[in-house]
Amino acid sequence: MAQTSIILRVELNHEKVTFGDVAAAISKSGGDITSIDVIRPGKDSSIRDITVDVAESAESQVVEALKQHEGIKLINVSDRTFLVHLGGKVSVQPNLPIKNRDDLSRVYTPGVARVCTAIHENPRKAYSLTIKRNTVAVVSDGTAVLGLGDIGPHAAAPVMEGKAMLFKQLAGVDAFPICLDTKDTEEIIRTIKAISPIFGGINLEDISSPRCFEIESRLNEELDIPVFHDDQHGTAVVVIAGLLNALKVVGKRIENVRVVVNGIGAAGVSICKMLLAAGVTKLVPVDREGAIVRGGTYDYPMWQWLANQPQVEAEPGTLKEVIRGADVFIGVSRGGLLSGQDVQTMAPESIVFAMANPTPEIAPEEALPHVRVFATGRSDYPNQINNVLVFPGIFRGALDCRARTINEPMKLAAARAIASVVTDAELNEHYIIPSIFNEHVVKKVRHAIIEAAILTGTARRIPPDFR
């Protein structure tokens, strides 16, 4: 059950009510008081801020209980999540102060003209003399935001700001949120190309399928900086990382397992591609109409690509039919599609990654008695498959070696790096993937990305620690 934290500002009439009455009303309504701050003390009345942890579904009950209680005046209700968003979550700060005219003449006119001329004569100097060397654009059109869908560019901004925060905190990358007020594929491509000179990389986020495929593909062809659609590749990288460790737990080899992937959209296609690159030989992609089969004909280009792969099985069937005998189930679709009886039909020592949010394809309570390793996309269960493990380190490495692109070998190297953070001594059914706050994740992913970029010829710079 989703929890939230609210701050209730209340005025108490001491002739009619005590604080004990307030606490009892909150507790009876399902709230848990975590802190109390006296804003204005007084003999006859007082004002206090009460911080309450409560299930989202019970928030209105707590508020209503206080409103109905004689002697309690509810002045304001503040959701702590909303409070941290006031004024936005990111800002721009200068790297040095401007204290006098001499400082001004160096950072701005007339001194800056010399730097402009140097970059004009050698554009590669933009990497050393501007923010390009360490800056990523986080770009969305707001058409596929979290589980909310097409909510538009204004409403998408808080997600992009949050991602910019994670870039900075976890990897020291300066990222800027850019929300585009257009759904036109050509206009999005044209706009990103037009703003690209100031950025060292482009992180596409929350752009709906199938437009996201063409946008990313075209930008990769037409720009000389890395473009990475996190909903596709970030999810795929962390899934492969988790699967590599899950297979160690159950003692199976990736080339021998049968894998069912449900939900063949942006993330599902990328997961399937990475599974094939990692060595899977028996793959069953499934969407709403059933299994995508080898040799089939499909209007959707990515489905057709899968149907042309020799590792994809030729037997048709629904999800409940094709999951029988599968070693691995990976879901990036919608909640409530499977039951405990369904996963019971899988092979012994089965692995289930049910990553639909907020409701997994199968509830953990139903799956756990029947599967060996279970993972979700949620933070309130073990083994969270979270792409926050991926993008900070990938871009840190790509920027440090000035990679032209982020290719498949680099993504697979990142997956193996994330998996390696969990040591053999730590590895078990409930710990196959490291925490996003594990300090080794970004370092190992960065190293793996740079190494793969150098080996594949996409790096334009060798960082000092690789010389």
Side-chain angles (χ1 to χ4, degrees), residues 1 5 15 22 27 35 53 61 69 171 191 206 218 244 247 268 275 280 300 306 331 351 361 374 384 396 426 443 447:
M1 187 179 293
S5 182
E15 291 183 0
V22 178
S27 178
S35 69
D53 282 349
Q61 297 169 27
H69 205 297
T191 303
D206 294 343
R218 288 270 305 281
L244 292 173
L247 290 171
L275 286 168
V280 166
Y300 189 15
L306 284 168
I351 297 166
E361 285 81 358
F374 184 82
Q384 184 191 17
R396 179 72 278 155
E426 296 170 323
K443 292 176 184 176
H447 190 277

Side-chain angles (χ1 to χ4, degrees), residues 128-147:
S128 58
L129 297 173
T130 75
I131 62 173
K132 187 179 183 74
R133 71 186 299 172
N134 194 51
T135 306
V136 168
V138 182
V139 184
S140 179
D141 64 356
T143 54
V145 181
L146 302 178

